[in-house]
Amino acid sequence: MKNWVILGGVLLLFVVLVKEWRRQRAPQVFTTTSGQVEMCLFCHQEKPEKVHAREVVGCSPCHLGDPLRTDKALAHRGIVKNPGDLRVADRTCGNPACHPEMPSQVKKSLMATNRGIINTLRRYWGEIPDQPSVRPEDDVAYLLKHPELKSTALDYYRKLCGSCHLWFEKGKFPDFLKEKGGGCVACHLIPGPKEAKHPRLTRKIPTENCVRCHNRSGRIGLTYQGLYEDEGYGTPYLDGDFGEEMLPDGRFVRPIPPDVHFKAGLVCVDCHLKEETMGEGKTYVHFEESVEITCVACHGGDGKTAKGRMVPGIKKEKGNLVFKDKEGRIHPLKAPDPVKCRHPVHRRLSCQACHAKRVPQCFGCHVRMDPQQRQTDKLTGKETPGAWEEFKSYQRLTTPTLGVKGKEIVILVPG
Amino acid sequence: MDPHATGKARSCLSCHASPKTLGLGYGTLSYLGKGRWAFQSSERSQSDLLGLDFPLSALTNLKGEIFVNLSREDLRPFNPEEMKRILRVGLCLKCHQDFSDPVMMNWRPEMRCPVFKE
Amino acid sequence: MKSRVSPWASWGLCASFLLAVITGIIINYPYRAEIPLISTVGIEGTVPFGALFRYLHYYSGQLAFLLLIWHTTEALLGQSYRYRRPFFWTTLISTYPLTLLVLFTGYIIRGDETGLLAGRIAENLALKLPLIGELINRLLFAVMEEGAHRAYLAHVFLSWGLLVGLISWHFRLRRLELQDLALWASVALLLALLFPPSLEFAPLATHAKGPWFFLGIQEALRYFSPYLAGLLFPALPLLLLWLCKWWPKRAALGLLLWHVVYLSFTLVGALR
């Protein structure tokens, strides 16, 4: 008995020695400039951009884990790869010392809830009363929590639309879906220099980040950049290859004259305010309740949006309003033509009714569901029976049809 | 919706003489006199495959029948009265091509054309 | 004299306490009271065998406290109070809160979330003491003004004082067998290997938790005034313990009841 105890003790001592020998010791205790212990910096060389500099912020305020440990397994407990994911954003980006008000607002925004898409779809398909209304269940967060909630429209939404919202987990799905979603970083992340080994966070959201989602239905993200998704199947073929540009998801696009604002170098967030994109803490059903930028805010107006907010880019220069874009370039602002635009006979016209000469239009849009096949539910990531496919009869890039919305003549686009 | 395709404005004719813009769809419009119009769609008026009984590019017809559901409650195609008013201007555009023409610039609804017989 | 307490627990307590002092001396070298958290992390992350000795220190301290409870219970059941003169009995009982203070200050001087919270609560409670509150706080805590310095001194001096006092009047250190020491060192070592204790890091936590034996007081503070929950409530068992000499039955019943209450508070606090 006694020998066994001694043997056990010796063995224990041996284990301790081996463990100590294999342990990687840090040369010093690493701290951030504010004096917070951040042992992550011992192993990690990644360098985010200046605002979130490694020496200032460290790693753990964003990526969680245990910054007091040097042992990899212990230090990495509770770590998150993507701090922007809305599931953790309250504790990461939204922590009390950083951006505390943002996560709750963003979670209410249409890009997170998809409320408009879900509500409209279910109304069209006769699943809920045909009156637009704020319903708690028309929300991605709700559907994520309630996978048991089933209906034909929801099945369609989950399988075909379910990848275009901020709850979408970045990197969870293969192919072009890999780059989509990610909560805060869906918009705010851009690739960093290779030697930094860490992407950069930015407030100058590049157009391509928006267009990762805003490229279907009205195709505004494509049209803005002067791209038209056509039915040419990549023709004309050149040198044995497709002669057209291909989107990451495999659709072909051909060049058309871009929007004048794109030509002037403006990106989406030059016009669109943070209250529109990230929400202002209110619950809306449709995007037009959230969108407040108008053409006249800059062109002939006083620089204020429909909700009375000052457009951030508008500056006064020698008595005139000018527009300063995110890159710091100054653009003069043209007022509407006093005769053509302001003639009483055209008083009901929206600016777009005349100034959008060509709009992609998809006629005879329809979907088909094959109950024999299976398709991935983009919310749960699981394959379930029933595969949806979208079809169109024909697609044209042509002058848009006009119609009446309230007291205004607006563009009507099928799709 | 805003298609985000801002550029130089479209021509007068592209609205005032276009059945597509009015919501009638692709086809030919003919003026029958006395404010009456006829429209011949260039598409089949029925689509058996999709189970539709109207041309794909049409939202409405000259009688004001509405073929499609629109996505907002306060959204509608032009009604026959509005279509007639818009198309009437199209008839003027032959001679008074745009707003550089003083007649266009100063036009009021009660004005009558001395040349064109309604 | 017939032994009223089991030798294994008594010598275990002795060995654990000695071990805690020895490991304490070792980790004292790299420790700096001005930068408590940084130097504690440094001990764990940069000093050779540093983590091992810190974990050993932690577990031998915990074992000593747990074995002290065991030892005391046995002594009470064996009616050992009968054979102690009142003065000696009082002195012996006073080692109980002193041991607790050593354990408690040990948490404070880690400088982590648990330690900071424990320090702040202790300071506020000490200040609530009538007349001597200010003095006690200056001797033991004063964390708001002095950081970990005073708690550090208290930790070191109290543990040395306890060791010297107990060796002198309560047991003979030279009778501690080497194999007992080795056995209890192995137990602490095994615990250190299997469950490395962590420094608490929770900058965003809405309610940080103090040391495990403090949770009951922390929970009681939610419902009662600091005076009641923070001073009288924890002082009660010491008083009862002391009174065991004169009213053993009633005091024992009181102790039992108190521990039931404290345990329930601790459970509720732990589950929060």
Side-chain angles (χ1 to χ4, degrees), chain C:
Chain C
M1 191 171 76
K2 203 178 105 219
S3 182
R4 281 171 294 270
V5 290
S6 45
W8 70 266
S10 315
W11 290 115
L13 166 57
C14 174
S16 298
F17 192 73
L18 189 68
L19 211 60
V21 173
I22 293 170
T23 49
I25 294 171
I26 293 169
I27 59 173
N28 208 337
Y29 281 88
Y31 181 76
R32 299 266 185 290
E34 324 75 91
I35 41 169
L37 181 62
I38 292 177
S39 56
T40 310
V41 173
I43 289 169
E44 278 190 15
T46 68
V47 176
F49 292 99
L52 177 74
F53 280 114
R54 189 182 100 67
Y55 298 165
L56 269 179
H57 184 63
Y58 177 86
Y59 275 115
S60 48
Q62 303 286 337
L63 283 173
F65 178 62
L66 292 174
L67 287 167
L68 175 64
I69 297 177
W70 185 270
H71 179 69
T72 314
T73 315
E74 276 188 333
L76 285 184
L77 291 175
Q79 304 185 337
S80 64
Y81 41 81
R82 285 202 198 169
Y83 309 96
R84 305 275 186 210
R85 273 169 287 138
F87 173 75
F88 195 77
W89 176 246
T90 310
T91 319
L92 202 56
I93 294 303
S94 70
T95 60
Y96 209 99
L98 290 181
T99 312
L100 256 174
L101 267 177
V102 171
L103 196 64
F104 192 75
T105 46
Y107 276 94
I108 296 180
I109 61 177
R110 302 195 316 202
D112 65 343
E113 211 61 32
T114 313
L116 287 177
L117 177 93
R120 258 172 274 153
I121 298 181
E123 170 152 18
N124 285 318
L125 289 181
L127 289 172
K128 286 265 164 3
L129 273 173
L131 299 174
I132 52 164
E134 186 75 31
L135 180 71
I136 294 283
N137 181 46
R138 288 207 172 274
L139 276 176
L140 296 178
F141 312 118
V143 286
M144 308 278 185
E145 275 178 47
E146 300 263 338
H149 182 64
R150 296 278 163 108
Y152 165 67
L153 290 181
H155 185 68
V156 174
F157 292 160
L158 283 177
S159 39
W160 276 102
L162 273 173
L163 188 68
V164 171
L166 289 168
I167 288 171
S168 309
W169 288 290
H170 195 58
F171 64 87
R172 304 217 189 298
L173 190 59
R174 64 186 151 85
R175 284 177 54 194
L176 173 64
E177 302 264 353
L178 194 63
Q179 65 192 55
D180 273 332
L181 194 65
L183 177 74
W184 287 97
S186 307
V187 172
L189 200 60
L190 203 63
L191 286 168
L193 282 180
L194 294 178
F195 315 101
S198 64
L199 294 166
E200 285 311 313
F201 172 77
L204 307 173
T206 42
H207 56 272
K209 284 178 188 168
W212 60 271
F213 55 87
F214 194 60
L215 286 178
I217 297 178
Q218 223 185 329
E219 187 62 25
L221 280 167
R222 289 174 182 272
Y223 313 107
F224 307 107
S225 72
Y227 198 75
L228 204 66
L231 294 178
L232 291 182
F233 183 53
L236 196 62
L238 297 173
L239 186 73
L240 289 168
L241 197 57
W242 183 63
L243 287 176
C244 276
K245 183 162 175 57
W246 296 278
W247 294 291
K249 287 240 163 86
R250 271 177 255 177
L253 188 69
L255 270 178
L256 198 68
L257 277 176
W258 186 90
H259 276 92
V260 169
V261 173
Y262 195 79
L263 218 66
S264 355
F265 272 130
T266 304
L267 272 178
V268 175
L271 291 176
R272 258 181 211 284

Side-chain angles (χ1 to χ4, degrees), chain A residues 98-272:
Chain A
C98 301
H99 314 282
E101 74 289 357
M102 294 321 302
S104 62
Q105 284 184 18
V106 170
K107 283 181 201 169
K108 279 188 176 174
S109 76
L110 284 169
M111 290 201 283
T113 62
N114 273 192
R115 190 176 299 281
I117 301 176
I118 300 170
N119 185 273
T120 308
L121 190 66
R122 298 199 73 187
R123 279 196 286 123
Y124 276 13
W125 290 21
E127 293 183 356
I128 56 173
D130 196 14
Q131 242 86 47
S133 59
V134 176
R135 293 155 25 96
E137 53 272 48
D138 299 337
D139 185 341
V140 173
Y142 188 92
L143 295 182
L144 283 170
K145 260 188 233 147
H146 298 271
E148 77 285 355
L149 198 67
K150 285 196 173 82
S151 81
T152 313
L154 287 177
D155 194 56
Y156 171 73
Y157 172 82
R158 284 167 174 279
K159 286 167 179 172
L160 293 197
C161 321
S163 72
C164 277
H165 56 82
L166 295 179
W167 287 95
F168 195 66
E169 274 178 79
K170 195 173 176 137
K172 187 177 172 183
F173 290 85
D175 305 330
F176 73 99
L177 292 175
K178 204 149 85 186
E179 295 300 318
K180 293 176 81 173
C184 310
V185 304
C187 308
H188 289 283
L189 211 63
I190 53 174
K194 208 174 169 207
E195 62 277 11
K197 295 183 191 160
H198 193 283
R200 296 166 57 86
L201 291 157
T202 183
R203 292 168 80 176
K204 296 176 191 168
I205 318 294
T207 300
E208 59 171 298
N209 280 16
C210 309
V211 180
R212 265 200 291 272
C213 280
H214 296 271
N215 60 37
R216 294 288 314 270
S217 202
R219 269 80 174 168
I220 56 173
L222 301 178
T223 311
Y224 181 70
Q225 306 175 74
L227 295 171
Y228 167 60
E229 174 197 336
D230 71 354
E231 296 173 300
Y233 306 103
T235 55
Y237 300 131
L238 295 173
D239 302 330
D241 204 349
F242 297 122
E244 285 197 325
E245 214 182 310
M246 201 196 265
L247 294 178
D249 59 8
R251 288 176 290 157
F252 291 104
V253 286
R254 65 169 60 194
I256 55 168
D259 191 291
V260 288
H261 300 95
F262 179 80
K263 258 197 259 178
L266 299 192
V267 296
C268 309
V269 294
D270 273 314
C271 297
H272 290 291

Side-chain angles (χ1 to χ4, degrees), chain B residues 22-38:
Chain B
L22 291 178
L24 297 171
Y26 293 111
T28 316
L29 267 171
S30 353
Y31 185 56
L32 304 176
K34 297 197 177 130
R36 286 178 304 124
W37 291 85

